[in-house]
Amino acid sequence: MDQLALLFLLLLGALLSVPVGARLGLPAPVLMTVLGIVLALLEFVPNVDIPPELILPALLPPLLYAAVRRTSWRQFAANKRPIFLLAVALVLVTMTCVAAVASAVVPGLPIAAAFALGALVAPPDPVAATAVAGQLGLPRRLVSILEGEGLFNDVTAIVLYHVAIAAAVGGTFSPWRAGLDLVLSAVVAVAVGLALGWATNRLLSVLGDATLQIGLTLLVPYGSYVLAEELHGSGVLAVLTTAMFLAEYAFDADDVMTRLAGHTVWDVVDTLVTGVAFGLVGLELHNAIRTASGRWTELLGWAAVIAGVVILVRLVWLLPATWLTKRLHARRDHDEDIPMSVRETVVMWWSGMRGVASVALALAIPLETDDGSAFPHREEIIFVAFGVIMVTLLLQGLTLPWLVGRLGVRADTEREKEYEKELAVRAAKAAKQRLREIESVEELPEELAEQLLRRAFDIGMRISPDVGDEERREAQEQRARRAKRIRRIQGEMMSAARHEVLAARSEAGADPEIVDRVLRQLDVRSLR
């Protein structure tokens, strides 16, 4: 089996893991990790031949961009305090604790190398957390916090990792220099992200065509990441900034086709890249096995200790941090998402899985220091990091659905229905207001005006049937049944038309380009 066949197998597994995971009640990323481990144990499967420095630039930009599409700047701003406590403070605390324990249990491990290990295992994986949380029906406030933490903790961890690696390679460390690097990296990243977001927004309006616009959005995350890294900024933060800017300003309410097609394309990209990323995590078992040859007991012991520190620190930090956030929330009445009970805090604790970023950072550790000597304990650091990733991904990922069910932590469906109803009312009112504005400048027949008014009300009813009273709901249900019947008949008519046009493709003298153009018009009409 060559590398191309292995990639195809991972892509196929990424697709199959979604329905299989849904049937088994398990997260698809965890299943892909298991698949990667199984492939790594097969002798005929080759080692993954991807330069470590390319793993993060290749996988993180599209995954982060896809994740930001599900959130908003308003949501981030409302949750800045819990996100800061998790994405910045907790990463620092975890790195420090891991470094202290690692330097104590691993003989001869320099403190700078220990901090590098702490930095690369500190951030929970944003893709794993959001993928798992999204499938378990957790309360929206928990999903929002996990998404915010996952999106921003990589920024902190990657900068700290580079500082620790520089100290280990060069033999010197300056706290002031490290702090300055962190600030400069963030400033450059935000500037690049905003500039590229603005330029992309302008270019989207110039391109016009949905195909070209979606193609541009596929390139933008990589461009933002690479440009920021070239300017010594944080590529991760630049991608987040660009994505948030476009999420706020690049939407045209009337560009229906681009929005629908864009969502579909990005859902496909998200599924495939996520699957490949976690498949690669499992495939890295090759390196772990090679490192542990003859030293299994010692290395497994170190990995177990560090994994225990990572998991325990998250719990010890979350309990007081959640209590403090709730107190501040009650005093200031901020509209922010916070865990409302100990059970929700426990679910947040157990959702701290490590993944793609940790693997990439571990593999990217330099082979040598500046004086030409081997990087201290590089192989041991990689093994311990891999052990932490496997423990958190498999142990926590496989048991999280059971824990959520056991604790009874579920989304507040009544609140979601109320919000949906509120939006339905607002949508219907907006449609009626626009109808009144049109009537003020155009003379509409009474029958047509009544029909349009009824359709304006139906807009809200179709979104949320609870909008109207019982009599109106019954009338809406009758109209819905009638409309469904009409759609069924129209659908069969359009199907016959499409079959006829497709049959013309094989006729002598047929122009396939014209046939496809006519077929696209029929498809668009069917979609509407």
Side-chain angles (χ1 to χ4, degrees):
M1 179 183 292
D2 58 16
Q3 298 287 322
L4 186 60
L6 182 59
L7 176 61
F8 173 79
L9 193 58
L10 290 178
L11 291 171
L12 179 61
L15 298 177
L16 296 178
S17 65
V18 176
V20 172
R23 177 165 295 186
L24 298 178
L26 296 174
V30 176
L31 291 181
M32 282 303 300
T33 305
V34 173
L35 173 62
I37 293 174
V38 172
L39 292 175
L41 296 175
L42 301 177
E43 294 184 359
F44 61 87
V45 176
N47 289 332
V48 179
D49 188 19
I50 301 178
E53 63 273 13
L54 294 182
I55 294 179
L56 279 179
L59 298 178
L60 270 189
L63 294 178
L64 292 172
Y65 191 90
V68 173
R69 289 172 54 249
R70 297 187 289 267
T71 184
S72 68
W73 170 255
R74 176 69 183 85
Q75 192 176 63
F76 163 71
N79 296 308
K80 56 183 179 295
R81 185 167 48 236
I83 288 174
F84 172 81
L85 289 173
L86 292 171
V88 179
L90 180 54
V91 168
L92 286 167
V93 171
T94 303
M95 179 188 69
T96 304
C97 293
V98 168
V101 173
S103 61
V105 300
V106 180
L109 182 67
I111 189 64
F115 269 101
L117 171 62
L120 67 92
V121 299
D125 188 88
V127 181
T130 55
V132 171
Q135 294 178 4
L136 297 180
L138 295 178
R140 182 60 209 173
R141 55 181 173 273
L142 289 191
V143 178
S144 298
I145 298 173
L146 289 172
E147 286 176 345
E149 176 193 11
L151 290 173
F152 286 91
N153 59 20
D154 280 351
V155 177
T156 307
I158 290 174
V159 173
L160 293 174
Y161 165 85
H162 286 307
V163 170
I165 290 294
V169 170
T172 59
F173 173 72
S174 169
W176 295 108
R177 176 72 180 180
L180 180 61
D181 288 344
L182 180 62
V183 173
L184 289 178
S185 176
V187 171
V188 170
V190 172
V192 169
L194 291 175
L196 200 60
W198 178 86
T200 302
N201 192 27
R202 302 286 293 183
L203 192 55
L204 285 173
S205 61
V206 172
L207 292 175
D209 182 74
T211 302
L212 302 178
Q213 290 177 334
I214 296 169
L216 179 62
T217 63
L218 293 174
L219 298 178
V220 164
Y222 291 105
S224 184
Y225 187 96
V226 172
L227 182 58
E229 289 289 329
E230 287 293 323
L231 297 175
H232 305 289
S234 169
V236 174
L237 182 57
V239 174
L240 296 180
T241 305
T242 301
M244 282 193 169
F245 184 94
L246 293 176
E248 291 294 322
Y249 298 107
F251 280 116
D252 182 357
D254 295 324
D255 195 355
V256 178
M257 288 297 297
T258 299
R259 187 162 52 251
L260 290 177
H263 277 298
T264 301
V265 169
W266 271 104
D267 285 345
V268 172
V269 171
D270 192 15
T271 300
L272 292 178
V273 178
T274 299
V276 170
F278 284 93
L280 291 176
V281 171
L283 282 166
E284 288 303 329
L285 183 64
H286 274 301
N287 293 321
I289 293 175
R290 186 175 63 251
T291 300
S293 179
R295 304 172 59 193
W296 282 101
T297 302
E298 182 182 41
L299 290 175
L300 286 176
W302 295 346
V305 170
I306 300 303
V309 171
V310 167
I311 295 173
L312 184 61
V313 166
R314 183 173 176 85
L315 177 63
V316 172
W317 179 265
L318 274 177
L319 291 175
T322 302
W323 174 83
L324 176 61
T325 305
K326 289 170 68 174
R327 289 291 300 272
L328 295 174
H329 177 88
R331 288 181 183 179
R332 303 182 185 182
D333 194 28
H334 280 298
D335 183 22
E336 64 184 357
D337 298 310
I338 59 173
M340 301 304 292
S341 66
V342 175
R343 292 181 301 170
E344 292 186 0
T345 303
V346 171
V347 171
M348 279 196 61
W349 162 52
W350 206 242
S351 300
M353 293 157 284
R354 274 59 181 175
V356 181
S358 296
V359 169
L361 293 177
L363 295 177
I365 295 176
L367 296 174
E368 298 179 347
T369 62
D370 286 346
D371 60 9
S373 60
F375 191 95
H377 295 273
R378 182 180 187 274
E379 297 299 322
E380 288 83 354
I381 291 174
I382 292 177
F383 183 91
V384 170
F386 186 83
V388 172
I389 295 164
M390 287 297 102
V391 169
T392 56
L393 257 183
L394 298 182
L395 175 62
Q396 295 179 304
L398 291 174
T399 57
L400 185 60
W402 172 85
L403 181 67
V404 170
R406 188 75 175 175
L407 295 177
V409 177
R410 287 287 183 267
D412 188 351
T413 55
E414 290 300 321
R415 182 181 176 185
E416 292 176 357
K417 287 182 179 178
E418 283 299 317
Y419 185 56
E420 186 179 75
K421 180 179 177 181
E422 177 186 336
L423 289 177
V425 171
R426 290 172 58 182
K429 285 183 177 179
K432 292 176 185 176
Q433 176 62 29
R434 183 57 184 153
L435 177 59
R436 284 194 291 267
E437 292 172 357
I438 294 174
E439 284 183 309
S440 65
V441 296
E442 294 184 30
E443 186 176 345
L444 298 178
E446 184 177 349
E447 181 181 350
L448 178 59
E450 291 180 359
Q451 182 181 358
L452 291 172
L453 183 61
R454 200 163 52 243
R455 289 192 177 184
F457 182 78
D458 288 348
I459 290 174
M461 290 286 291
R462 288 176 181 177
I463 298 173
S464 176
D466 295 335
V467 169
D469 53 30
E470 185 175 351
E471 182 179 348
R472 288 183 171 179
R473 282 200 297 269
E474 290 180 359
Q476 166 62 18
E477 289 173 0
Q478 291 178 359
R479 289 194 296 273
R481 285 193 294 268
R482 180 174 177 271
K484 184 178 180 180
R485 185 180 183 187
I486 292 175
R487 282 196 302 271
R488 176 181 61 80
I489 297 173
Q490 285 182 336
E492 293 182 11
M493 293 166 59
M494 295 299 293
S495 176
R498 285 192 297 269
H499 278 83
E500 183 65 25
V501 173
L502 275 174
R505 240 181 175 275
S506 58
E507 295 175 354
D511 187 334
E513 191 171 322
I514 296 177
V515 172
D516 289 344
R517 188 162 66 237
V518 173
L519 187 62
R520 178 175 175 80
Q521 293 177 10
L522 292 175
D523 289 340
V524 172
R525 180 68 181 271
S526 299
L527 181 63
R528 290 175 178 173

